[in-house]
Coordinates of all heavy atoms in Angstrom, one line a residue:
N77 N -0.3 56.4 -29.6 CA 0.3 56.1 -28.3 C 0.8 54.7 -28.2 O 0.1 53.7 -28.6 CB -0.7 56.4 -27.2 CG -0.1 56.5 -25.8 OD1 0.6 55.5 -25.4 ND2 -0.3 57.6 -25.1
A78 N 2.0 54.5 -27.7 CA 2.5 53.2 -27.6 C 1.7 52.3 -26.7 O 1.8 51.0 -26.8 CB 4.0 53.2 -27.1
Q79 N 0.9 52.9 -25.8 CA 0.2 52.1 -24.8 C -1.3 51.9 -25.3 O -2.1 51.5 -24.5 CB 0.2 52.7 -23.5 CG 1.6 53.0 -22.9 CD 2.3 51.7 -22.7 OE1 1.7 50.6 -22.5 NE2 3.7 51.7 -22.8
S80 N -1.6 52.2 -26.5 CA -3.0 52.1 -27.0 C -3.6 50.7 -27.0 O -4.8 50.5 -27.2 CB -3.1 52.8 -28.4 OG -2.4 52.0 -29.3
E81 N -2.7 49.7 -26.8 CA -3.3 48.4 -26.7 C -4.2 48.2 -25.5 O -5.0 47.3 -25.5 CB -2.1 47.4 -26.6 CG -1.2 47.6 -25.4 CD -0.1 46.6 -25.3 OE1 -0.4 45.4 -25.2 OE2 1.1 47.1 -25.3
Y82 N -4.1 49.0 -24.5 CA -5.0 49.0 -23.4 C -6.2 49.8 -23.6 O -6.0 51.1 -23.7 CB -4.2 49.4 -22.1 CG -3.1 48.5 -21.7 CD1 -1.8 48.9 -21.8 CD2 -3.4 47.2 -21.3 CE1 -0.8 48.1 -21.4 CE2 -2.3 46.3 -20.9 CZ -1.0 46.8 -21.0 OH 0.0 45.9 -20.6
V83 N -7.3 49.2 -23.7 CA -8.5 50.0 -23.9 C -8.8 50.9 -22.7 O -8.7 50.5 -21.5 CB -9.7 49.0 -24.0 CG1 -11.0 49.8 -24.1 CG2 -9.5 48.1 -25.2
G84 N -9.0 52.2 -23.0 CA -9.2 53.1 -21.9 C -7.9 53.8 -21.4 O -8.0 54.6 -20.5
A85 N -6.7 53.4 -21.9 CA -5.5 53.9 -21.4 C -5.1 55.2 -22.0 O -4.2 55.9 -21.6 CB -4.4 52.9 -21.6
R86 N -5.8 55.6 -23.1 CA -5.5 56.8 -23.8 C -5.6 58.1 -22.9 O -6.6 58.3 -22.3 CB -6.4 57.0 -25.1 CG -6.3 55.7 -26.0 CD -7.3 55.7 -27.1 NE -7.2 54.5 -27.9 CZ -7.9 53.4 -27.7 NH1 -8.7 53.4 -26.6 NH2 -7.7 52.4 -28.4
G87 N -4.6 58.9 -22.9 CA -4.6 60.1 -22.1 C -3.9 59.9 -20.8 O -3.6 60.9 -20.2
L88 N -3.5 58.7 -20.5 CA -2.7 58.4 -19.3 C -1.2 58.4 -19.6 O -0.9 58.0 -20.7 CB -3.1 57.1 -18.6 CG -4.4 57.0 -18.0 CD1 -4.7 55.6 -17.5 CD2 -4.6 57.9 -16.8
P89 N -0.4 58.9 -18.8 CA 1.1 58.9 -19.0 C 1.6 57.5 -19.3 O 1.2 56.6 -18.6 CB 1.7 59.6 -17.8 CG 0.5 60.2 -17.1 CD -0.7 59.5 -17.4
P90 N 2.5 57.4 -20.3 CA 3.1 56.0 -20.5 C 3.8 55.5 -19.3 O 3.9 54.3 -19.1 CB 4.0 56.3 -21.7 CG 3.5 57.5 -22.3 CD 2.9 58.4 -21.3
E91 N 4.4 56.4 -18.5 CA 5.1 56.0 -17.3 C 4.2 55.3 -16.3 O 4.6 54.3 -15.6 CB 5.8 57.2 -16.6 CG 6.9 57.8 -17.4 CD 6.3 58.8 -18.5 OE1 5.1 59.0 -18.4 OE2 7.1 59.2 -19.4
F92 N 3.0 55.8 -16.2 CA 2.0 55.2 -15.4 C 1.6 53.7 -15.8 O 1.5 52.8 -15.0 CB 0.7 56.0 -15.3 CG -0.4 55.5 -14.5 CD1 -0.4 55.5 -13.1 CD2 -1.5 54.8 -15.1 CE1 -1.4 55.0 -12.4 CE2 -2.5 54.3 -14.3 CZ -2.5 54.4 -13.0
I93 N 1.5 53.6 -17.1 CA 1.2 52.2 -17.7 C 2.4 51.3 -17.4 O 2.2 50.1 -17.0 CB 0.9 52.3 -19.2 CG1 -0.2 53.4 -19.5 CG2 0.5 50.9 -19.7 CD1 -1.5 53.1 -18.8
E94 N 3.6 51.8 -17.6 CA 4.8 50.9 -17.4 C 4.9 50.5 -15.9 O 5.3 49.4 -15.6 CB 6.0 51.7 -17.9 CG 6.1 51.9 -19.4 CD 7.3 52.7 -19.8 OE1 8.0 53.2 -18.9 OE2 7.4 53.0 -21.0
E95 N 4.6 51.5 -15.0 CA 4.6 51.2 -13.6 C 3.6 50.1 -13.2 O 3.9 49.2 -12.4 CB 4.4 52.4 -12.8 CG 4.4 52.2 -11.3 CD 5.7 51.7 -10.8 OE1 6.7 52.0 -11.4 OE2 5.7 51.0 -9.7
L96 N 2.4 50.2 -13.8 CA 1.4 49.1 -13.6 C 1.9 47.8 -14.1 O 1.7 46.7 -13.4 CB 0.1 49.5 -14.3 CG -0.8 50.6 -13.7 CD1 -2.0 50.8 -14.6 CD2 -1.2 50.1 -12.3
E97 N 2.5 47.7 -15.3 CA 3.0 46.5 -15.8 C 4.1 45.9 -14.9 O 4.1 44.7 -14.7 CB 3.6 46.7 -17.2 CG 2.5 47.0 -18.2 CD 3.1 47.1 -19.6 OE1 4.2 47.6 -19.7 OE2 2.4 46.9 -20.6
R98 N 5.0 46.7 -14.4 CA 6.0 46.2 -13.5 C 5.4 45.7 -12.2 O 5.8 44.7 -11.6 CB 7.0 47.3 -13.2 CG 8.1 47.6 -14.3 CD 9.2 48.4 -13.8 NE 8.8 49.7 -13.4 CZ 8.7 50.8 -14.2 NH1 9.0 50.6 -15.4 NH2 8.3 52.0 -13.7

Side-chain angles (χ1 to χ4, degrees):
N77 192 306
Q79 304 298 332
S80 62
E81 59 181 298
Y82 295 112
V83 177
R86 303 172 181 91
L88 290 176
E91 295 80 10
F92 177 77
I93 308 298
E94 292 174 0
E95 179 62 28
L96 283 178
E97 289 181 333
R98 281 195 298 271

